[in-house]
Amino acid sequence: EVQLLESGGDLLQPGGSLRLSCAGSGFTFSRFAMSWVRQAPGKGLEWVSAITSTGGSTYYADSVKGRFTISRDSSKNTLFLQMNSLRVEDTAIYFCAKGVGAMVRGASDLWGRGTLVTVSS
Amino acid sequence: SYVLTQPPSVSVAPGRTARITCGGNNIGSKSVHWYQQMPGQAPVLVVYDDSDRPSGVPERFSGSNSGNTATLTISRVEDGDEADYYCQVWDSSNDHWGEFGGGTKLTVL
């Protein structure tokens, strides 16, 4: 079955760190760009970060630049998001999404169910 | 950042046509993607590259893009189409990338 499965969400205090993972299966993971998209409670979608199929290029939203790092291990079919200096406003469901091609400029045609990150004191 | 403007809500009777707009500066020069999100679920791609449909998406879903407005059109609306819809573009200017519109809640009357 073609799917993405996120993990790693947690409740933590402001200033903390967390690493999210996204395991892909049923497709050739190494051929596709991947993204992270988040959704705060009751709010819309917010693009967070993306990485090309090779991992050679990464992109970030201004709101997370310098705090979050996207990476991938294609030998393990896994996407990561390292989140540092977390803020209350980072509270959201984090979705990983598969791109339609190797480059990031394109639609996302497969999404995981998401993992919840809650930042609260 | 590149701003995409969607109406917060659109209402339509079953069997009629719903049109959801996505406004942006010269959006016609960009590729627009549309996602459907049911409550509590992950988004699903319904239209990509302005007007292409992924396999499995009904032909009732179509898209267009010109000038400053992209439009998702849902023909013969069904109860099951009630959901939130989001447009997305990739904007390489000033390093602003996968921007989403604010979303439109489609209500089937």
Side-chain angles (χ1 to χ4, degrees), chain B residues 37-86:
Chain B
Q37 187 180 33
M38 300 292 188
Q41 298 191 20
V44 173
L45 179 67
V46 292
V47 168
Y48 66 99
D49 292 349
D50 297 340
S51 59
D52 291 333
R53 266 188 322 275
S55 60
V57 174
E59 291 183 5
R60 301 185 297 105
F61 289 81
S62 62
S64 62
N65 184 19
S66 179
N68 294 319
T69 304
T71 303
L72 173 69
T73 300
I74 309 172
S75 304
R76 302 180 299 282
V77 167
E78 303 174 356
D79 289 348
D81 298 330
E82 187 162 289
D84 294 324
Y85 292 84
Y86 295 89

Side-chain angles (χ1 to χ4, degrees), chain A residues 3 14-15 21 24 40 42 50 52 55-56 60 65 67-68 73 75-76 78 83 87 96 111 113 116:
Chain A
Q3 65 177 358
S21 299
T52 55
Y60 299 93
K65 197 174 295 183
R67 301 188 298 123
F68 290 11
D73 184 343
S75 68
K76 297 182 179 179
T78 304
M83 310 164 66
R87 306 168 179 168
C96 71
W111 295 64
R113 293 185 176 184
L116 178 62

Side-chain angles (χ1 to χ4, degrees), chain A residues 35 37 39 43-47 49-50 59-62 65 95 100 104-114, chain B residues 1 33 35 37 40-45 47-49 84 86 88 90-92 94-102:
Chain A
S35 296
V37 175
Q39 187 168 37
K43 302 297 184 181
L45 301 177
E46 180 187 11
W47 175 81
S49 182
Y59 308 86
Y60 299 93
D62 287 346
K65 197 174 295 183
F95 298 100
V100 296
V104 300
R105 188 188 300 273
S108 295
D109 62 355
L110 178 67
W111 295 64
R113 293 185 176 184
Chain B
S1 64
H33 317 303
Y35 301 90
Q37 187 180 33
Q41 298 191 20
V44 173
L45 179 67
V47 168
Y48 66 99
D49 292 349
D84 294 324
Y86 295 89
Q88 183 196 31
W90 291 90
D91 178 36
S92 61
N94 299 315
D95 285 341
H96 297 291
W97 296 96
E99 302 284 354
F100 283 96

Side-chain angles (χ1 to χ4, degrees), chain A residues 48-61:
Chain A
V48 173
S49 182
I51 187 168
T52 55
S53 62
T54 63
S57 295
T58 57
Y59 308 86
Y60 299 93

